[in-house]
Amino acid sequence: MVRLMKPKIRLYVEHPLGDGQQVSLTREQAHYLFGVMRLAVGAEIALFNGTAGEWRAEVMEAGKRGGVLECRDQTAPQQMPPDLWLCFAPIKKARTDFIVEKAVEMGARRIVPVQTSFTNSERIRQDRLQAHAVEAAEQCGATYVPEVAGLARLDRLLADWPQGRQIMFCDEARVGRSSALTGLLAEGGARPWAILIGPEGGFSQAERDRLHELPYAHPVALGPRILRAETAAVAALTLWQTYLGDWR
Ligand code: SAH
């Protein structure tokens, strides 16, 4: 019988992977594989850990509270997304979840929730958002899971900004003007980048002034209409990936 090309179920594990490597499962992973997905001993799934590519693994032990898998062969090499951060001001829960999920699918390296003057929420559930990122990576075939950083204030983030990282500053004040992508393209794709998206209330004038002063921040417009923050995030990721990232 022809063997399935790739196992359908993908699971992210915080465990070394390699030839013959055994991986013990957490209670939640065992519940998912054996309780929800009804897998039994002998079944195959795909594992990735963010550094070692994707591995075909066979179920060796299946229990209610745990289990053991054994790696067989590597089914995909490790693939890192480009060095792109998505910085965004968290909005309502479901919309924030959406942004995290899309950032993973679209290939951001790091996800940075930012508190701006007009940000609606003062807190985020970092662990929940990280779990969303893991789920999105499992679903989209990625071998890397971006880190979801803790909520940082925009002024502090900019004060500690890493040297050389460019900012694609999505500035709603530029709505309807030329997209100004030339500034982006001039920087080329080799550098580290960040996309910055504001909250529903937009950026304050003081924030905008500060950003305009930074030589490494490049204001861009995303067309002639005001987009919701989550739409702006997807649009900006699309543009960046097309011109500077790994869609080229
Ligand atoms: N309330 C604001 C809009 C905020 S939209 C207003 O009416 O002006 C949320 C965020 O999405 C913005 O801060 C910006 O980062 C991004 N955004 C939305 N539409 C945009 C556009 N046409 N060009 C650039 N950025 C945009």
Side-chain angles (χ1 to χ4, degrees):
M1 203 179 98
V2 183
R3 222 169 168 199
L4 280 175
M5 282 294 287
K6 276 197 181 196
K8 279 205 190 95
I9 299 177
R10 301 182 82 242
L11 192 68
Y12 170 77
V13 290
E14 288 176 4
H15 198 285
L17 301 175
D19 241 335
Q21 174 77 54
Q22 292 215 335
V23 179
S24 5
L25 298 171
T26 64
R27 200 190 171 111
E28 293 78 47
Q29 289 165 339
H31 171 73
Y32 170 67
L33 293 182
F34 313 131
V36 181
M37 302 311 288
R38 306 256 156 218
L39 296 188
V41 169
E44 286 185 336
I45 71 161
L47 295 180
F48 65 106
N49 65 3
T51 57
E54 183 192 88
W55 286 77
R56 187 199 312 275
E58 188 181 327
V59 177
M60 309 300 284
E61 289 171 35
K64 272 215 167 77
R65 293 185 192 83
V68 177
L69 306 177
E70 192 172 295
C71 293
R72 292 284 171 252
D73 52 340
Q74 197 186 39
T75 41
Q78 180 61 33
Q79 201 183 6
M80 296 296 286
D83 192 354
L84 172 68
W85 295 0
L86 177 67
C87 306
F88 73 100
I91 39 178
K92 286 198 193 97
K93 190 166 151 277
R95 293 179 188 270
T96 300
D97 292 352
F98 176 91
I99 291 181
V100 168
E101 183 181 288
K102 298 312 144 196
V104 176
E105 290 176 32
M106 313 261 312
R109 177 85 64 96
R110 189 159 179 261
I111 299 169
V112 185
V114 192
Q115 194 176 355
T116 63
S117 304
F118 303 148
T119 298
N120 322 48
S121 64
E122 312 245 300
R123 273 178 299 157
I124 53 157
R125 283 283 307 277
Q126 192 179 356
D127 55 341
R128 246 194 71 245
L129 293 179
Q130 188 66 66
H132 270 298
V134 167
E135 229 172 82
E138 287 173 343
Q139 176 271 323
C140 76
T143 47
Y144 183 76
V145 180
E147 176 209 2
V148 180
L151 188 62
R153 275 176 45 180
L154 181 62
D155 51 355
R156 300 236 177 94
L157 188 73
L158 293 177
D160 296 335
W161 195 253
Q163 213 192 342
R165 186 172 294 275
Q166 308 293 305
I167 301 178
M168 177 179 179
F169 165 38
C170 298
D171 183 4
E172 70 276 3
R174 288 194 62 94
V175 68
R177 295 172 49 197
S178 100
S179 61
L181 286 179
T182 44
L184 249 74
L185 297 175
E187 295 301 330
R191 295 197 191 215
W193 273 89
I195 289 171
L196 176 62
I197 306 284
E200 277 164 29
F203 291 100
S204 71
Q205 196 50 47
E207 287 169 338
R208 182 168 294 113
D209 292 344
R210 171 91 206 275
L211 285 156
H212 276 280
E213 275 169 18
L214 304 174
Y216 49 84
H218 309 274
V220 300
L222 303 169
R225 290 161 293 271
I226 296 278
L227 309 176
R228 296 195 78 125
E230 70 272 27
T231 317
V234 174
L237 284 160
T238 307
L239 276 176
W240 191 90
Q241 285 289 32
T242 305
Y243 290 108
L244 298 174
D246 63 11
W247 294 12
R248 284 177 296 168

